[in-house]
Amino acid sequence: MKFIKSLYLNNFFFYVFAGIIGLFVCAFIFPNIYNAVWFGVLVLITFLALDILLLYLTRTGFEADRVTPEKLSNGDLNPITLILKNHYTFSVSVKIIDEIPVQFQVRDFKLIRSVKASEQKEISYDLRPTERGEYYFGYLNIYVSSPLRLISRRFTFNNEQMVPTYPSYIQLRKYDLLAFSNNLYQYGIKKIRRIGHTMEFEQIKEYVQGDDLRTINWKATAKKNALMVNQFQDEKSQSVYMAIDKGRVMQMPFDGLSLLDYAINSTLVLSNVILKKQDKAGLFSFSKKVENRVYAEKRGSQMQKILETLYNIKTDFFESDYSRLYVDIKKNINQRSLIILYTNFETMDGLNRQLPYLKGIAKSHLLVVVFFQNTELNAIINKKTDTIQEVYDKVIAEKFMFEKRLIANELKKYGIHSVLTQPENLTLDAINKYLEIKARGIL
């Protein structure tokens, strides 16, 4: 039974078989080729039997293994490696059909490769998940054909392999040194001019390019006969909370990811930068109520706690209750802290409904509201208009874009900082804002 289930006739066999049928038809017109056609049938049967013997005489003729990361990074390309081992004494043609997790909705995955005799080969492909959770791979199906190419033998491996998808830890590694490096312009990190020196003196060191010339220590320079500068240390152990709105305004998708997942990925990277800057990082999410709380600390296990909490954030995208957010912050965060609120406002009316609560939070804490530009409107605004309807659409799109800038100005009137960003630039813009606040010493 296993033999029958694993044996597949290739297209080449059907092409040859169709050719023989055509020759039988021709034999009605040319009877003298009738015996030659039957000889061709015997040759086909002989080669078919030989092909079966070649592929089935060896019990473990071919091996394959799927190597996946320990966890997938949400929103990033994740490499999946396939290791192929040919134990046959001849080269084989291999068709690979990997049963990819249902979340990707890929129904036509197929790779075709050739593997030489007794060769081990590695091939890889990339997967980009767009939601957190558990991803189950099915069978890794390998269809092996000999040089005769009449049949294929199917081998199956790695059924029910589960890989969890976490917030974007690939971005976390990419920006891991942002808190220490001065050469950050290639990543888009802005250079922030420090206002005065309200920081603690740390040491005198040799001048390097990029140091503030105003910090030159002339007495030390004269003694050393080289430029020496005073180095100051930022204030440490300040509390920073990321508040993630998981209501319906964060359901809008961009490039496959929801705004909520963009906010989660940004929170993970920003938390790492905060901890590397010796500050305390915490987070919570809110919708109908405040959940997924991690208190601001800077212990060694804090990043793992944040990662697991972000992985487990789930929502039905209800309407967010800002009154509960205000009461919870008032009750549970007693020390003045930096609160970075990831949310989205599309209209001034939407902002005005929540503005009293935002003003209440800003009285006790430094509040930064991060919200999103609707990048889909750019295509409408930049499109050449040919009809009256397109003119209407363009005017409305420009109105919405202008209203976003009005929202930022309205927040500024009440001392609330804001970051208006595109989803793909969220992480960089959030890091920039945090570093700006640290440099200005306004927390």
Side-chain angles (χ1 to χ4, degrees):
M1 194 65 179
K2 289 183 179 180
F3 167 77
I4 298 297
K5 285 185 175 181
S6 66
L7 191 149
Y8 291 81
L9 296 173
N10 288 340
N11 289 339
F12 183 65
F13 171 84
F14 292 105
Y15 296 151
V16 175
F17 189 68
I20 290 175
I21 292 175
L23 290 175
F24 270 118
V25 173
C26 293
F28 283 98
I29 304 172
F30 307 102
N32 55 336
I33 68 169
Y34 182 75
N35 291 331
V37 175
W38 271 111
F39 179 76
V41 172
L42 292 175
V43 171
L44 176 61
I45 294 173
T46 301
F47 276 102
L48 181 63
L50 179 60
D51 205 2
I52 293 173
L53 289 174
L54 285 173
L55 291 177
Y56 282 88
L57 274 179
T58 304
R59 176 172 294 183
T60 57
F62 203 91
E63 288 183 343
D65 188 25
R66 180 199 302 117
V67 180
T68 64
E70 182 181 346
K71 51 184 178 286
L72 300 179
S73 178
N74 194 25
D76 300 312
L77 292 177
N78 297 265
I80 308 298
T81 302
L82 304 179
I83 301 174
L84 310 177
K85 298 179 183 179
N86 180 15
H87 296 299
Y88 289 110
T89 56
F90 49 85
S91 297
V92 296
S93 176
V94 176
K95 180 169 71 173
I96 305 165
I97 298 179
D98 198 359
E99 296 177 3
I100 291 173
V102 67
Q103 289 94 330
F104 294 102
Q105 291 297 297
V106 177
R107 305 178 188 275
D108 57 351
F109 181 89
K110 181 173 67 175
L111 297 173
I112 297 177
R113 297 289 188 273
S114 59
V115 185
K116 296 179 181 178
S118 303
E119 181 187 17
Q120 177 173 313
K121 177 179 284 190
E122 291 187 8
I123 61 176
S124 63
Y125 62 91
D126 294 322
L127 293 177
R128 181 179 180 268
T130 56
E131 58 184 81
R132 289 162 289 114
E134 296 180 345
Y135 284 60
Y136 286 90
F137 286 83
Y139 284 107
L140 173 59
N141 299 281
I142 307 293
Y143 297 84
V144 179
S145 299
S146 75
L148 296 177
R149 298 171 53 202
L150 294 175
I151 67 163
S152 293
R153 179 181 176 183
R154 185 180 74 167
F155 296 87
T156 57
F157 308 94
N158 297 95
N159 186 33
E160 291 297 315
Q161 183 178 2
M162 192 279 286
V163 183
T165 296
Y166 275 73
S168 181
Y169 63 86
I170 289 180
Q171 285 190 39
L172 178 66
R173 294 170 182 169
K174 179 180 177 182
Y175 300 117
D176 195 35
L177 298 178
L178 287 186
F180 302 105
S181 174
N182 289 320
N183 187 24
L184 304 177
Y185 311 114
Q186 58 181 319
Y187 296 107
I189 304 299
K190 300 173 185 175
K191 183 178 180 181
I192 306 299
R193 185 169 70 89
R194 297 183 182 274
I195 309 299
H197 288 300
T198 59
M199 300 157 291
E200 181 183 350
F201 174 80
E202 184 178 14
Q203 63 176 348
I204 299 173
K205 70 178 187 71
E206 287 191 11
Y207 171 84
V208 295
Q209 187 175 1
D211 284 339
D212 190 346
L213 294 175
R214 294 172 300 173
T215 63
I216 294 176
N217 187 318
W218 293 109
K219 290 184 179 180
T221 297
K223 291 180 181 178
K224 190 79 172 178
N225 198 25
L227 280 176
M228 306 295 289
V229 294
N230 295 329
Q231 188 174 35
F232 296 89
Q233 190 176 54
D234 290 332
E235 188 176 348
K236 298 178 180 179
S237 297
Q238 295 176 305
S239 296
V240 183
Y241 282 93
M242 278 69 68
I244 302 174
D245 182 353
K246 56 180 185 178
R248 66 181 59 176
V249 295
M250 299 292 280
Q251 190 176 12
M252 188 180 297
F254 286 94
D255 196 21
L257 285 178
S258 67
L259 294 183
L260 175 62
D261 280 308
Y262 278 107
I264 288 172
N265 290 344
S266 173
T267 297
L268 180 65
V269 178
L270 183 55
S271 297
N272 187 52
V273 174
I274 290 168
L275 292 171
K276 292 292 177 65
K277 295 286 284 184
Q278 301 300 313
D279 282 334
K280 296 183 286 188
L283 71 93
F284 53 87
S285 66
F286 72 99
S287 179
K288 296 174 69 176
K289 58 182 179 179
V290 178
E291 299 175 300
N292 308 109
R293 189 189 312 277
V294 177
Y295 286 100
E297 294 176 330
K298 60 175 182 177
R299 61 178 60 182
S301 61
Q302 189 74 350
M303 271 308 299
Q304 185 61 34
K305 186 186 294 187
I306 289 173
L307 178 62
E308 293 297 334
T309 302
L310 292 173
Y311 171 74
N312 289 310
I313 288 180
K314 295 178 175 60
T315 179
D316 293 323
F317 295 106
F318 292 111
E319 186 73 26
S320 298
D321 188 344
Y322 277 76
S323 63
R324 287 205 175 193
L325 173 67
Y326 168 70
V327 171
D328 189 272
I329 291 176
K330 194 78 173 175
K331 177 181 177 182
N332 294 298
I333 306 179
N334 300 318
Q335 179 186 0
R336 177 174 168 82
S337 304
L338 170 60
I339 297 178
I340 300 175
L341 171 61
Y342 292 94
T343 185
N344 197 33
F345 296 111
E346 291 292 338
T347 64
M348 283 294 297
D349 289 337
L351 171 66
N352 289 330
R353 285 196 298 270
Q354 315 302 344
L355 193 54
Y357 307 113
L358 297 180
K359 289 161 60 178
I361 296 171
K363 286 181 180 178
S364 305
H365 305 279
L366 181 61
L367 177 62
V368 177
V369 176
V370 182
F371 62 111
F372 298 87
Q373 292 179 349
N374 190 338
T375 54
E376 299 295 323
L377 296 178
N378 291 332
I380 300 175
I381 293 173
N382 297 326
K383 181 181 177 183
K384 183 180 178 181
T385 55
D386 297 319
T387 65
I388 295 296
Q389 182 61 48
E390 290 177 345
V391 172
Y392 290 156
D393 293 342
K394 185 172 183 177
V395 170
I396 293 171
E398 289 176 343
K399 175 184 178 296
F400 277 115
M401 293 291 281
F402 179 69
E403 198 155 6
K404 289 281 188 177
R405 294 192 290 272
L406 286 180
I407 291 171
N409 289 332
E410 186 70 13
L411 290 170
K412 187 177 180 181
K413 281 170 52 179
Y414 299 102
I416 302 172
H417 295 256
S418 65
V419 177
L420 176 58
T421 181
Q422 297 180 1
E424 62 268 24
N425 298 328
L426 172 61
T427 300
L428 284 175
D429 289 342
I431 294 173
N432 272 328
K433 193 65 179 179
Y434 166 71
L435 295 180
E436 176 189 347
I437 290 171
K438 290 291 292 181
R440 292 175 61 188
I442 57 177
L443 177 57

